[in-house]
Amino acid sequence: MIYDCDYIGRDHAIIRLFCKNGEKHVDYDENFLPYIYGIGCTCQDISRVQGIKECEPVSRTFKGENVDAVKILFHFPKDVPLYREELRSYGKIYEHDIPFARRYLIDNDIYPMSDGHDLKVLAFDIETYTETYPDSRKDPIIMISLATSEKSAVITYKHVEKEYVEVVENEVQMLTRFFELIKEIDPEVLVTYNGDNFDLPYILERVRVLKVECPLEFRILGRGATTKVRVPGFCHIDLFPISKRLLNLTSYTLEAVYQEITGKCKSKIRGDLISTYWDRGGEPLEQLADYAREDAEAALAIGEKFLPLQYALSRIVGQTPFDISRASSSAMVDWLLLREAHKRGEVAPNQPHGGEYEKRASQSYEGAYVLEPEKGLHENLVQLDFRSLYPSIIITHNIDPLTLGCECCENNTSPAGYTFCLNKKGFIPEILKTLLSERAKVKQQMKKSDDRMLEFQQWALKILANSFYGYMGYPRARWYSLECAESTTAWGRMYLKQIIDMARKEDLKVIYGDTDSVFIKMKDSNVERALRFLETVNTSLPESMELEFEGFYPRGLFVTKKKYALLDDKGTFITKGLEIVRRDWADIAKKTQQEVLEIILREGSPQKAAQVVEEVTCKLKQRQVNLEDLVLYTRLTMPLSQYKQIGPHVQIAQKMKQRGEDVGVGSTIAYIVKEGRGLIRDRVVPYQEGEPLNVQYDADYYIENQVIPAVMRIMTAFGFKKEDLIYQRTEQMSLEKWF
DNA sequence: ACGGCTCGGGG
DNA sequence: GTGTACGAGCCGT
Ligand SMILES: [Mg+2]
């Protein structure tokens, strides 16, 4: 099984395949050469370019048509970008931007992670001595924690009396010991949380500053926001980008992700306090060591959850887990198609060039159909969903850049006005069919076997199949086609509207519908009628399309399009689009919103929810709330001088700086809005934990700009106005009653 | 409603 | 590394 691939050499590339089949070993291949394709030029032209290794005529297809192409070979991968521009003057060039190791896997029909996944995983994490924000040139690393499935440990250089702590003399020795341990443990996979952007570049810099002998190589690829760190010989997986892709959370701190996955809490020591814990020694130091260990253990736990899916995707797409774990689903589809094109002798279209990307990115088209909900609280809801709506539409209607625009299949014209030929094979629909039938096979196997790998395999296949529609509208896609993307959603709208119409004709009450699902309100918990409706619908749908029973919900709250909450029959909450997510909301707003949702769904009482809001506004006015519930946090991400929009946090940072406080890039600004007139940004005061505020907070601001907007997202569904929710000392309502 | 700006994880 | 992110949410118009 191959878990990573790269190449070495200065003027001749040698491919390295990192394998483990029981034993670990490296395979080398020095007989593979970089190449690109040229179309519309001859080898005679090309051989005029000095430095090219070889040129040979080849027959290929391009956009499905036979073409005479030339295969231009180079001595070394990095020669490609060197000669690219010159070669463009002789004709069109293709496949000129494919990293060498990836090209190798594709051309040699090698699929990484193919048999068995018995890889050894080591998770690690560092703690640094940081007073303001981390500066790897001067702030030392003070602890390194490691975790494997067998044990966990912390290395440090202050005395800590804990059985898992190994104490050494200084930072240099700690790093040396860390490298030694990696060698001893001998893992294939290195797991970190945000290691691409923090831990690995930091360790590398410390190694340089301290001139530590380092047996590992860290290759930093891409600088800035897209930094990735490759450690040759290992597969480094950063769980942060994976967590962002796979989970839907309000924040993606290690703690939040760990809790989501395990249901367990872990301790957290704020970054700016770590140096204090270190300096104090004694108990705080022990707590710091515990925290460090927990971090590595948490990363390992998250890794155990996410790695099998990455391995499965890697094996299906045919690229290394290192690359797969950092790729968007559209990028994965691109690599999958590239490989399939190569198998078919098809030259791949180029990525957008010049202004093409911007042009594509700025194009918009009509998306899915969303039915305006019948607002309010409903009971006994049945949800019916199309099974893989977009994949089945693409297959049924043979939606593909190459089948687009035919004259023989007028009856296969999308509501967007594009006709797709049904008499020739489409590239994308064919691959999609294979993925779906693979998935069906895996699901069959799952009935006979309880191999957990099958579950991840079918999940990976599902993810990929569902990514094809988005791919066609993805501006960087090689097989980009706005017409295809547009036609897919157009047909989707058509089918969903058909279902809604049919349901209404059968006298079923449709409460809401979005993209591929409808919610039908039943008279009681008996879902018989909905199931009969399903059967009727399915006989009328095209063969590969199917409407399915998705679930029954005793209660559901519908506010507007895309904003609703459900309570399922197990008592679990499902909310869409309602919750305030960003941290520029104060806790009081988040908590009140949550409480309102709970009361409405569990108790079915919007009136009681309104009362709760009124109570909160009352407490705010009477200054009975905790200061911590009012604090707003925002991070400074650039030097103060660079801000074009002066938000409250920028304003306060400017003030703090004038006062001589150190507010650099990366500091988190905590602030409270105080009473007064004028712009909010002129009325912010910094908040220090535990310090009493010597000004009054602005109760009106927290009511009008925090609590009310947060709960109004929900309460509008019941016709409440904001005046109904704010506590008034004079009873306006009772006055009205008298007249 | 739309477009431009800002942010994220790590210490 | 023969590749330079991206999507959500807010604010001002
Ligand atoms: Mg840590």
Side-chain angles (χ1 to χ4, degrees):
Chain A
M1 181 244 322
I2 291 155
Y3 60 90
D4 200 32
C5 175
D6 68 358
Y7 75 90
I8 47 171
R10 302 190 128 252
D11 42 27
H12 180 81
I14 303 167
I15 284 285
R16 291 193 297 188
L17 292 168
F18 296 93
C19 321
K20 188 180 186 189
N21 304 308
E23 283 296 292
K24 224 154 102 164
H25 68 279
V26 186
D27 281 345
Y28 296 89
D29 189 342
E30 52 186 45
N31 299 314
F32 185 67
L33 286 175
Y35 68 89
I36 68 171
Y37 289 114
I39 294 179
C41 49
T42 63
C43 279
Q44 217 176 357
D45 296 334
I46 300 302
S47 45
R48 267 183 259 158
V49 180
Q50 293 291 306
I52 299 288
K53 173 138 184 17
E54 251 176 81
C55 179
E56 58 183 70
V58 287
S59 48
R60 294 286 185 271
T61 58
F62 184 63
K63 299 193 190 292
E65 306 288 332
N66 291 325
V67 287
D68 292 322
V70 294
K71 186 173 177 181
I72 308 163
L73 292 112
F74 300 80
H75 293 283
F76 196 66
K78 289 192 171 59
D79 288 348
V80 177
L82 238 46
Y83 296 109
R84 209 155 34 195
E85 287 315 311
E86 191 180 349
L87 288 165
R88 273 191 224 278
S89 62
Y90 294 97
K92 291 238 157 64
I93 54 167
Y94 295 93
E95 304 194 17
H96 52 71
D97 50 7
I98 300 167
F100 191 59
R102 296 192 172 214
R103 173 94 268 173
Y104 182 82
L105 295 176
I106 291 172
D107 287 30
N108 292 279
D109 203 28
I110 294 169
Y111 285 82
M113 310 307 294
S114 278
D115 25 28
H117 302 157
D118 62 330
L119 297 182
K120 182 148 196 185
V121 180
L122 169 67
F124 67 90
D125 181 54
I126 64 171
E127 309 302 328
T128 66
Y129 189 93
T130 302
E131 281 164 316
T132 52
Y133 51 92
D135 178 352
S136 54
R137 280 163 308 175
K138 66 175 183 56
D139 299 342
I141 301 172
I142 52 182
M143 287 183 183
I144 300 179
S145 50
L146 307 89
T148 67
S149 55
E150 273 120 55
K151 65 174 214 166
S152 51
V154 171
I155 324 169
T156 187
Y157 45 94
K158 258 193 173 185
H159 186 75
V160 184
E161 194 67 45
K162 295 250 181 192
E163 87 286 355
Y164 63 84
V165 175
E166 189 177 330
V167 183
V168 295
E169 293 278 309
N170 51 38
E171 190 185 5
V172 173
Q173 279 195 15
M174 179 177 67
L175 285 163
T176 308
R177 181 64 184 141
F178 174 55
F179 301 139
E180 249 173 52
L181 277 174
I182 292 181
K183 211 173 171 191
E184 264 172 43
I185 296 165
D186 195 27
E188 290 78 41
V189 181
L190 299 177
V191 159
T192 61
Y193 198 81
N194 205 21
D196 276 347
N197 275 294
F198 184 72
D199 301 65
L200 280 105
Y202 205 103
I203 293 171
L204 180 61
E205 183 62 19
R206 293 311 291 167
V207 162
R208 282 188 187 144
V209 169
L210 301 166
K211 302 192 170 54
V212 184
E213 189 154 334
C214 176
L216 303 179
E217 192 190 338
F218 298 95
R219 274 191 217 160
I220 300 187
L221 315 172
R223 265 292 178 186
T226 57
T227 312
K228 310 166 195 179
V229 185
R230 192 181 269 286
V231 187
F234 301 88
C235 169
H236 169 221
I237 304 281
D238 183 346
L239 298 169
F240 172 53
I242 304 176
S243 305
K244 274 202 294 190
R245 256 179 283 123
L246 295 182
L247 305 176
N248 187 17
L249 302 177
T250 57
S251 105
Y252 296 88
T253 57
L254 178 59
E255 287 70 30
V257 171
Y258 178 73
Q259 179 160 35
E260 176 68 16
I261 280 183
T262 62
K264 289 185 263 179
C265 280
K266 69 172 280 299
S267 65
K268 167 75 187 169
I269 296 178
R270 264 171 41 198
D272 57 338
L273 298 178
I274 287 177
S275 54
T276 317
Y277 278 69
W278 175 258
D279 287 337
R280 281 198 196 145
E283 188 144 329
L285 185 63
E286 285 181 14
Q287 286 170 2
L288 184 61
D290 281 340
Y291 166 66
R293 178 168 75 152
E294 277 181 70
D295 274 3
E297 285 174 347
L300 184 73
I302 299 167
E304 273 164 7
K305 191 81 175 184
F306 288 158
L307 287 174
L309 179 67
Q310 302 306 308
Y311 297 161
L313 285 164
S314 169
R315 164 172 152 171
I316 299 161
V317 173
Q319 293 298 333
T320 62
F322 176 89
D323 287 324
I324 287 298
S325 65
R326 290 163 178 82
S328 67
S329 56
S330 288
M332 285 188 235
V333 172
D334 215 39
W335 287 105
L336 182 73
L337 295 182
L338 209 56
R339 183 179 276 260
E340 292 302 319
H342 180 266
K343 283 185 193 164
R344 292 161 168 74
E346 167 86 8
V347 174
N350 284 329
Q351 287 189 335
H353 184 71
E356 180 65 15
Y357 171 78
E358 285 74 17
K359 205 173 123 196
R360 289 180 181 183
S362 68
Q363 307 238 19
S364 64
Y365 59 94
E366 198 176 342
Y369 177 66
V370 188
L371 175 71
E372 187 67 42
E374 193 148 309
K375 294 184 177 64
L377 192 59
H378 300 280
E379 300 197 331
N380 302 316
L381 294 161
V382 165
Q383 184 182 7
L384 305 177
D385 268 23
F386 277 103
R387 176 171 49 76
S388 308
L389 177 68
Y390 288 161
S392 62
I393 287 176
I394 294 170
I395 290 170
T396 302
H397 297 286
N398 208 26
I399 298 175
D400 188 272
L402 299 186
T403 58
L404 171 65
C406 87
E407 284 169 12
C408 54
C409 303
E410 285 295 316
N411 61 337
N412 193 40
T413 300
S414 77
Y418 300 105
T419 305
F420 296 90
C421 190
L422 295 168
N423 301 321
K424 59 180 176 190
K425 284 193 173 177
F427 178 55
I428 286 175
E430 286 303 307
I431 295 161
L432 203 44
K433 268 188 223 169
T434 319
L435 289 180
L436 291 182
S437 72
E438 281 293 313
R439 179 157 183 251
K441 262 190 245 164
V442 174
K443 287 198 131 185
Q444 278 305 313
Q445 285 176 16
M446 281 169 68
K447 287 180 186 163
K448 290 175 238 150
S449 150
D450 52 3
D451 183 353
R452 291 219 29 243
M453 288 306 131
L454 295 171
E455 173 58 35
F456 291 104
Q457 216 181 325
Q458 75 81 18
W459 186 14
L461 287 160
K462 180 181 176 179
I463 289 173
L464 287 169
N466 285 337
S467 303
F468 275 65
Y469 149 68
Y471 172 82
M472 296 190 295
Y474 169 61
R476 286 191 203 283
R478 290 174 191 273
W479 281 269
Y480 171 84
S481 169
L482 194 65
E483 297 89 339
C484 291
E486 234 182 313
S487 297
T488 308
T489 56
W491 260 308
R493 291 193 299 273
M494 184 190 88
Y495 286 112
L496 185 66
K497 284 180 192 167
Q498 271 177 17
I499 298 299
I500 293 171
D501 287 345
M502 286 170 78
R504 285 180 173 161
K505 277 193 190 118
E506 305 242 341
D507 225 19
L508 288 163
K509 196 154 176 57
V510 180
I511 296 297
Y512 181 57
D514 182 357
T515 314
D516 59 354
S517 68
V518 287
F519 288 87
I520 293 172
K521 186 174 186 169
M522 313 306 290
K523 293 205 169 59
D524 47 42
S525 61
N526 186 347
V527 298
E528 266 311 302
R529 281 188 67 207
L531 296 180
R532 277 209 307 278
F533 173 65
L534 258 192
E535 269 179 48
T536 331
V537 166
N538 281 327
T539 51
S540 75
L541 281 172
E543 199 196 318
S544 68
M545 298 191 61
E546 195 187 339
L547 197 66
E548 293 178 319
F549 178 84
E550 178 64 28
F552 175 76
Y553 304 96
R555 268 206 191 106
L557 162 69
F558 292 83
V559 179
T560 56
K561 289 180 179 183
K562 307 265 181 199
K563 289 187 205 279
Y564 60 92
L566 304 164
L567 189 69
D568 74 10
D569 38 14
K570 292 184 199 90
T572 316
F573 251 44
I574 301 145
T575 70
K576 302 278 177 199
L578 281 176
E579 283 167 298
I580 42 182
V581 283
R582 286 259 297 242
R583 58 176 172 184
D584 34 20
W585 288 87
D587 266 1
I588 192 145
K590 293 184 203 165
K591 284 181 189 166
T592 313
Q593 191 197 47
Q594 188 62 33
E595 210 178 330
V596 160
L597 261 182
E598 293 250 0
I599 291 171
I600 292 173
L601 279 182
R602 293 204 197 280
E603 301 179 29
S605 171
Q607 281 70 29
K608 193 175 168 194
Q611 263 173 32
V612 166
V613 179
E614 212 180 327
E615 279 161 29
V616 171
T617 61
C618 175
K619 279 188 186 161
L620 268 166
K621 285 189 175 181
Q622 298 180 347
R623 311 202 169 273
Q624 290 171 350
V625 296
N626 287 331
L627 273 188
E628 297 93 77
D629 286 340
L630 303 179
V631 187
L632 298 155
Y633 299 91
T634 319
R635 178 93 65 107
L636 285 181
T637 56
M638 33 182 167
L640 281 176
S641 55
Q642 276 177 29
Y643 278 90
K644 288 184 189 160
Q645 280 188 352
I646 310 296
H649 69 299
V650 179
Q651 175 89 354
I652 202 160
Q654 286 171 348
K655 278 192 202 159
M656 287 162 76
K657 199 174 180 179
Q658 278 169 19
R659 260 185 273 152
E661 286 178 63
D662 187 10
V663 279
V665 177
S667 22
T668 298
I669 310 294
Y671 60 95
I672 284 181
V673 179
K674 68 172 181 188
E675 271 187 331
R677 293 170 161 273
L679 295 169
I680 286 160
R681 67 182 199 211
D682 296 327
R683 293 195 279 127
V684 287
V685 285
Y687 169 78
Q688 288 279 336
E689 206 183 324
E691 242 176 60
L693 206 62
N694 50 14
V695 291
Q696 293 278 29
Y697 69 76
D698 186 348
D700 279 339
Y701 169 81
Y702 285 100
I703 292 171
E704 298 281 340
N705 296 46
Q706 293 279 332
V707 173
I708 293 298
V711 299
M712 280 310 280
R713 292 179 177 218
I714 297 158
M715 300 304 281
T716 47
F718 302 103
F720 282 94
K721 299 197 185 64
K722 75 174 195 188
E723 299 81 49
D724 307 334
L725 301 171
I726 301 174
Y727 169 78
Q728 306 286 349
R729 207 169 297 174
T730 49
E731 283 282 327
Q732 295 180 338
M733 289 299 285
S734 56
L735 277 177
E736 277 169 41
K737 279 184 208 153
W738 290 104
F739 293 99

